[in-house]
mmCIF file of all heavy atoms in Angstrom:
data_model
loop_
_atom_site.group_PDB
_atom_site.id
_atom_site.type_symbol
_atom_site.label_atom_id
_atom_site.label_comp_id
_atom_site.label_asym_id
_atom_site.label_seq_id
_atom_site.Cartn_x
_atom_site.Cartn_y
_atom_site.Cartn_z
ATOM 1 N N GLN D 702 -13.063 -20.356 5.189
ATOM 2 C CA GLN D 702 -14.401 -20.316 5.777
ATOM 3 C C GLN D 702 -15.447 -19.919 4.743
ATOM 4 O O GLN D 702 -16.602 -20.340 4.828
ATOM 5 C CB GLN D 702 -14.402 -19.355 6.957
ATOM 6 C CG GLN D 702 -13.579 -19.853 8.134
ATOM 7 C CD GLN D 702 -13.553 -18.872 9.293
ATOM 8 O OE1 GLN D 702 -14.302 -17.918 9.311
ATOM 9 N NE2 GLN D 702 -12.665 -19.123 10.253
ATOM 10 N N PHE D 706 -18.759 -22.031 3.788
ATOM 11 C CA PHE D 706 -20.076 -21.378 3.811
ATOM 12 C C PHE D 706 -20.864 -21.582 2.514
ATOM 13 O O PHE D 706 -22.032 -21.235 2.453
ATOM 14 C CB PHE D 706 -19.878 -19.877 4.078
ATOM 15 C CG PHE D 706 -21.156 -19.101 4.246
ATOM 16 C CD1 PHE D 706 -21.966 -19.310 5.339
ATOM 17 C CD2 PHE D 706 -21.539 -18.174 3.289
ATOM 18 C CE1 PHE D 706 -23.150 -18.594 5.501
ATOM 19 C CE2 PHE D 706 -22.713 -17.445 3.444
ATOM 20 C CZ PHE D 706 -23.518 -17.663 4.553
ATOM 21 N N GLN D 711 -27.446 -18.631 1.441
ATOM 22 C CA GLN D 711 -28.704 -18.587 0.700
ATOM 23 C C GLN D 711 -28.450 -17.899 -0.641
ATOM 24 O O GLN D 711 -28.311 -16.681 -0.709
ATOM 25 C CB GLN D 711 -29.770 -17.842 1.505
ATOM 26 C CG GLN D 711 -30.103 -18.505 2.840
ATOM 27 C CD GLN D 711 -31.139 -17.728 3.629
ATOM 28 O OE1 GLN D 711 -31.627 -16.695 3.174
ATOM 29 N NE2 GLN D 711 -31.467 -18.233 4.804
ATOM 30 N N SER D 717 -23.989 -7.578 -2.343
ATOM 31 C CA SER D 717 -23.985 -6.973 -1.011
ATOM 32 C C SER D 717 -24.700 -7.868 -0.004
ATOM 33 O O SER D 717 -24.261 -7.985 1.155
ATOM 34 C CB SER D 717 -24.649 -5.598 -1.064
ATOM 35 O OG SER D 717 -25.988 -5.701 -1.535
ATOM 36 N N GLY D 718 -25.790 -8.508 -0.432
ATOM 37 C CA GLY D 718 -26.504 -9.392 0.482
ATOM 38 C C GLY D 718 -25.691 -10.607 0.860
ATOM 39 O O GLY D 718 -25.645 -11.005 2.040
ATOM 40 N N TYR D 719 -25.009 -11.225 -0.116
ATOM 41 C CA TYR D 719 -24.189 -12.395 0.189
ATOM 42 C C TYR D 719 -22.961 -12.002 1.006
ATOM 43 O O TYR D 719 -22.486 -12.786 1.837
ATOM 44 C CB TYR D 719 -23.773 -13.089 -1.102
ATOM 45 C CG TYR D 719 -23.137 -14.442 -0.886
ATOM 46 C CD1 TYR D 719 -23.876 -15.514 -0.409
ATOM 47 C CD2 TYR D 719 -21.785 -14.646 -1.151
ATOM 48 C CE1 TYR D 719 -23.290 -16.758 -0.205
ATOM 49 C CE2 TYR D 719 -21.190 -15.876 -0.948
ATOM 50 C CZ TYR D 719 -21.952 -16.931 -0.469
ATOM 51 O OH TYR D 719 -21.360 -18.160 -0.264
ATOM 52 N N THR D 720 -22.434 -10.802 0.770
ATOM 53 C CA THR D 720 -21.318 -10.322 1.593
ATOM 54 C C THR D 720 -21.736 -10.206 3.049
ATOM 55 O O THR D 720 -20.980 -10.581 3.967
ATOM 56 C CB THR D 720 -20.822 -8.969 1.073
ATOM 57 O OG1 THR D 720 -20.415 -9.092 -0.286
ATOM 58 C CG2 THR D 720 -19.654 -8.456 1.900
ATOM 59 N N GLU D 721 -22.935 -9.697 3.295
ATOM 60 C CA GLU D 721 -23.430 -9.583 4.668
ATOM 61 C C GLU D 721 -23.630 -10.971 5.288
ATOM 62 O O GLU D 721 -23.321 -11.185 6.464
ATOM 63 C CB GLU D 721 -24.743 -8.801 4.673
ATOM 64 C CG GLU D 721 -25.248 -8.450 6.065
ATOM 65 C CD GLU D 721 -24.293 -7.530 6.818
ATOM 66 O OE1 GLU D 721 -23.583 -6.741 6.172
ATOM 67 O OE2 GLU D 721 -24.265 -7.616 8.068
ATOM 68 N N GLN D 722 -24.136 -11.925 4.500
ATOM 69 C CA GLN D 722 -24.278 -13.295 5.014
ATOM 70 C C GLN D 722 -22.923 -13.874 5.421
ATOM 71 O O GLN D 722 -22.774 -14.446 6.510
ATOM 72 C CB GLN D 722 -24.905 -14.193 3.944
ATOM 73 C CG GLN D 722 -26.353 -13.928 3.616
ATOM 74 C CD GLN D 722 -26.886 -14.978 2.643
ATOM 75 O OE1 GLN D 722 -26.732 -16.181 2.862
ATOM 76 N NE2 GLN D 722 -27.501 -14.515 1.557
ATOM 77 N N LEU D 723 -21.935 -13.734 4.542
ATOM 78 C CA LEU D 723 -20.613 -14.289 4.825
ATOM 79 C C LEU D 723 -19.968 -13.597 6.009
ATOM 80 O O LEU D 723 -19.318 -14.252 6.839
ATOM 81 C CB LEU D 723 -19.729 -14.164 3.579
ATOM 82 C CG LEU D 723 -18.285 -14.676 3.706
ATOM 83 C CD1 LEU D 723 -18.265 -16.139 4.120
ATOM 84 C CD2 LEU D 723 -17.527 -14.467 2.398
ATOM 85 N N LEU D 724 -20.151 -12.282 6.130
ATOM 86 C CA LEU D 724 -19.559 -11.566 7.254
ATOM 87 C C LEU D 724 -20.155 -12.040 8.576
ATOM 88 O O LEU D 724 -19.424 -12.210 9.574
ATOM 89 C CB LEU D 724 -19.771 -10.061 7.077
ATOM 90 C CG LEU D 724 -19.199 -9.168 8.175
ATOM 91 C CD1 LEU D 724 -17.685 -9.342 8.276
ATOM 92 C CD2 LEU D 724 -19.541 -7.702 7.922
ATOM 93 N N GLN D 725 -21.436 -12.256 8.619
ATOM 94 C CA GLN D 725 -22.061 -12.780 9.842
ATOM 95 C C GLN D 725 -21.526 -14.163 10.184
ATOM 96 O O GLN D 725 -21.303 -14.480 11.365
ATOM 97 C CB GLN D 725 -23.580 -12.812 9.670
ATOM 98 C CG GLN D 725 -24.224 -11.437 9.579
ATOM 99 C CD GLN D 725 -25.717 -11.513 9.343
ATOM 100 O OE1 GLN D 725 -26.301 -12.600 9.282
ATOM 101 N NE2 GLN D 725 -26.364 -10.359 9.198
ATOM 102 N N PHE D 726 -21.305 -14.989 9.170
ATOM 103 C CA PHE D 726 -20.732 -16.315 9.421
ATOM 104 C C PHE D 726 -19.299 -16.205 9.939
ATOM 105 O O PHE D 726 -18.901 -16.942 10.858
ATOM 106 C CB PHE D 726 -20.778 -17.132 8.132
ATOM 107 C CG PHE D 726 -20.135 -18.482 8.245
ATOM 108 C CD1 PHE D 726 -20.764 -19.514 8.925
ATOM 109 C CD2 PHE D 726 -18.891 -18.725 7.673
ATOM 110 C CE1 PHE D 726 -20.167 -20.767 9.026
ATOM 111 C CE2 PHE D 726 -18.286 -19.964 7.768
ATOM 112 C CZ PHE D 726 -18.926 -20.992 8.448
ATOM 113 N N LEU D 727 -18.511 -15.301 9.372
ATOM 114 C CA LEU D 727 -17.139 -15.112 9.849
ATOM 115 C C LEU D 727 -17.117 -14.632 11.294
ATOM 116 O O LEU D 727 -16.273 -15.067 12.090
ATOM 117 C CB LEU D 727 -16.410 -14.110 8.944
ATOM 118 C CG LEU D 727 -16.126 -14.537 7.501
ATOM 119 C CD1 LEU D 727 -15.459 -13.410 6.727
ATOM 120 C CD2 LEU D 727 -15.250 -15.778 7.459
ATOM 121 N N GLN D 728 -18.015 -13.730 11.639
ATOM 122 C CA GLN D 728 -18.073 -13.238 13.017
ATOM 123 C C GLN D 728 -18.504 -14.329 13.984
ATOM 124 O O GLN D 728 -17.953 -14.441 15.089
ATOM 125 C CB GLN D 728 -19.020 -12.042 13.083
ATOM 126 C CG GLN D 728 -18.505 -10.804 12.354
ATOM 127 C CD GLN D 728 -19.534 -9.697 12.275
ATOM 128 O OE1 GLN D 728 -20.733 -9.921 12.494
ATOM 129 N NE2 GLN D 728 -19.091 -8.497 11.928
ATOM 130 N N ALA D 729 -19.490 -15.145 13.574
ATOM 131 C CA ALA D 729 -19.921 -16.235 14.448
ATOM 132 C C ALA D 729 -18.807 -17.256 14.639
ATOM 133 O O ALA D 729 -18.573 -17.750 15.763
ATOM 134 C CB ALA D 729 -21.168 -16.905 13.861
ATOM 135 N N THR D 730 -18.090 -17.582 13.571
ATOM 136 C CA THR D 730 -16.977 -18.523 13.670
ATOM 137 C C THR D 730 -15.846 -17.949 14.510
ATOM 138 O O THR D 730 -15.173 -18.680 15.257
ATOM 139 C CB THR D 730 -16.457 -18.872 12.266
ATOM 140 O OG1 THR D 730 -17.547 -19.300 11.444
ATOM 141 C CG2 THR D 730 -15.421 -19.968 12.332
ATOM 142 N N ALA D 731 -15.627 -16.644 14.414
ATOM 143 C CA ALA D 731 -14.573 -16.007 15.208
ATOM 144 C C ALA D 731 -14.867 -16.123 16.694
ATOM 145 O O ALA D 731 -13.956 -16.354 17.508
ATOM 146 C CB ALA D 731 -14.431 -14.545 14.798
ATOM 147 N N HIS D 732 -16.124 -15.968 17.099
ATOM 148 C CA HIS D 732 -16.481 -16.096 18.514
ATOM 149 C C HIS D 732 -16.312 -17.536 18.986
ATOM 150 O O HIS D 732 -15.963 -17.778 20.151
ATOM 151 C CB HIS D 732 -17.919 -15.635 18.741
ATOM 152 C CG HIS D 732 -18.067 -14.139 18.732
ATOM 153 N ND1 HIS D 732 -17.703 -13.342 19.806
ATOM 154 C CD2 HIS D 732 -18.532 -13.293 17.780
ATOM 155 C CE1 HIS D 732 -17.945 -12.065 19.519
ATOM 156 N NE2 HIS D 732 -18.438 -12.007 18.299
ATOM 157 N N GLU D 733 -16.528 -18.496 18.097
ATOM 158 C CA GLU D 733 -16.366 -19.891 18.488
ATOM 159 C C GLU D 733 -14.897 -20.290 18.596
ATOM 160 O O GLU D 733 -14.498 -20.971 19.550
ATOM 161 C CB GLU D 733 -17.070 -20.800 17.467
ATOM 162 C CG GLU D 733 -18.587 -20.632 17.434
ATOM 163 C CD GLU D 733 -19.208 -21.451 16.324
ATOM 164 O OE1 GLU D 733 -18.450 -22.185 15.645
ATOM 165 O OE2 GLU D 733 -20.436 -21.380 16.145
ATOM 166 N N CYS D 739 -9.969 -12.631 10.986
ATOM 167 C CA CYS D 739 -10.569 -12.829 9.669
ATOM 168 C C CYS D 739 -11.994 -12.313 9.589
ATOM 169 O O CYS D 739 -12.608 -12.367 8.519
ATOM 170 C CB CYS D 739 -10.524 -14.302 9.278
ATOM 171 S SG CYS D 739 -11.465 -15.371 10.362
ATOM 172 N N ALA D 740 -12.556 -11.829 10.702
ATOM 173 C CA ALA D 740 -13.926 -11.304 10.702
ATOM 174 C C ALA D 740 -13.914 -9.859 10.232
ATOM 175 O O ALA D 740 -14.195 -8.925 10.987
ATOM 176 C CB ALA D 740 -14.534 -11.413 12.098
ATOM 177 N N ASP D 741 -13.597 -9.680 8.965
ATOM 178 C CA ASP D 741 -13.440 -8.350 8.397
ATOM 179 C C ASP D 741 -14.222 -8.287 7.088
ATOM 180 O O ASP D 741 -14.191 -9.223 6.286
ATOM 181 C CB ASP D 741 -11.955 -8.052 8.149
ATOM 182 C CG ASP D 741 -11.705 -6.608 7.772
ATOM 183 O OD1 ASP D 741 -12.055 -6.235 6.648
ATOM 184 O OD2 ASP D 741 -11.153 -5.870 8.597
ATOM 185 N N GLN D 742 -14.899 -7.184 6.868
ATOM 186 C CA GLN D 742 -15.747 -7.072 5.684
ATOM 187 C C GLN D 742 -14.932 -7.054 4.400
ATOM 188 O O GLN D 742 -15.341 -7.636 3.394
ATOM 189 C CB GLN D 742 -16.614 -5.818 5.774
ATOM 190 C CG GLN D 742 -17.649 -5.721 4.676
ATOM 191 C CD GLN D 742 -18.655 -4.624 4.913
ATOM 192 O OE1 GLN D 742 -18.427 -3.743 5.731
ATOM 193 N NE2 GLN D 742 -19.762 -4.660 4.209
ATOM 194 N N ALA D 745 -14.091 -10.514 3.496
ATOM 195 C CA ALA D 745 -15.257 -11.198 2.933
ATOM 196 C C ALA D 745 -15.465 -10.822 1.464
ATOM 197 O O ALA D 745 -15.752 -11.681 0.618
ATOM 198 C CB ALA D 745 -16.502 -10.870 3.762
#
Side-chain angles (χ1 to χ4, degrees):
Q702 292 178 11
F706 185 68
Q711 298 179 1
S717 59
Y719 190 68
T720 302
E721 188 63 29
Q722 291 186 50
L723 179 57
L724 180 61
Q725 293 177 2
F726 176 74
L727 293 177
Q728 292 172 344
T730 308
H732 284 283
E733 294 175 3
C739 63
D741 189 288
Q742 188 170 16

